[in-house]
Amino acid sequence: MALAKSYCISLIGLTGTLIEVEADISANLPGFVLVGLPDASLSEATARVRAATANSKASLPNRKVTVNLSPASVPKFGSSFDLAIAIAALTAADKLKDPEIAKTVYLGELGLDGAVRPINGVLPAVMAAKREGFQRVIVPSANLAEAQLVDGVDAIGVAHLTQALRFHGAEVNEIKVMERERPEGI
């Protein structure tokens, strides 16, 4: 499959809008392009997703990856789109084949090591997903309790990209996330 879709939510204040994440992998020169009105912080997702997938032993092919965030007219900012971008890109690369991907909303920032980091605005995002008819969301483990406050939505928490991949049937070894120690005084 050279084209795949996943879904996430763009928040403007407390108002959430469903965003379709389309990924296409073509035979052009290697690269990663993000289109659809991303801001600077979202444009950095290309580097985070490429590194996170490689460090999760589910590398993207060395080809051109184009990701479209639709509708393009909706402003998009922040790193909460990372997980949805990774899922769409890996599906386009034939690393995932689960039809349930199109029935799930993905929220989460990716670390370069594949860790799924907590984000702000999970409650209004999950409420928007429910309003759009979605019954499942995958969120960072640290945001799971907040996501579970919305009745009628199956919230699944993941601490690492490999957990989301395994949920969708990928044969990758789960990588444990190391707890970060904070220096004294912080």
Side-chain angles (χ1 to χ4, degrees):
M1 174 183 276
L3 179 65
K5 295 179 186 180
S6 69
Y7 295 92
C8 60
I9 301 291
S10 176
L11 285 178
I12 306 290
L14 295 176
T15 303
T17 302
L18 182 68
I19 302 298
E20 182 180 78
V21 179
E22 296 176 294
D24 177 70
I25 298 183
S26 63
N28 296 331
L29 290 173
F32 201 130
V33 179
L34 190 60
V35 297
L37 199 60
D39 76 340
S41 62
L42 180 52
S43 292
E44 295 169 351
T46 60
R48 288 190 300 270
V49 168
R50 181 88 63 190
T53 56
N55 289 318
S56 298
K57 308 297 186 243
S59 297
L60 292 170
N62 198 17
R63 300 172 79 186
K64 183 170 185 180
V65 178
T66 304
V67 174
N68 180 40
L69 305 173
S70 181
S73 60
V74 174
K76 299 157 200 82
F77 58 91
S79 56
S80 64
F81 297 82
D82 291 1
L83 185 57
I85 292 169
I87 295 294
L90 289 168
T91 304
D94 281 334
K95 305 273 179 155
L96 296 172
K97 298 179 191 310
D98 188 358
E100 295 297 310
I101 291 168
K103 299 176 184 176
T104 306
V105 168
Y106 302 88
L107 304 168
E109 175 184 339
L110 290 176
L112 299 182
D113 61 353
V116 180
R117 296 181 175 158
I119 59 169
N120 294 324
V122 167
L123 183 59
V126 174
M127 290 170 63
K130 180 180 179 178
R131 185 180 66 246
E132 292 290 336
F134 285 85
Q135 297 177 350
R136 181 184 311 116
V137 295
I138 294 183
V139 301
S141 292
N143 294 116
L144 182 58
E146 185 180 356
Q148 290 174 328
L149 293 173
V150 180
D151 289 332
V153 176
D154 181 21
I156 298 160
V158 295
H160 197 274
L161 177 59
T162 55
Q163 292 172 332
L165 300 179
R166 290 170 58 86
F167 176 80
H168 287 300
E171 294 183 18
V172 293
N173 292 327
E174 189 172 321
I175 297 173
K176 302 280 187 215
V177 177
M178 299 273 214
E179 290 295 320
R180 296 167 203 230
E181 291 186 27
R182 292 182 178 240
E184 286 186 40
I186 294 182

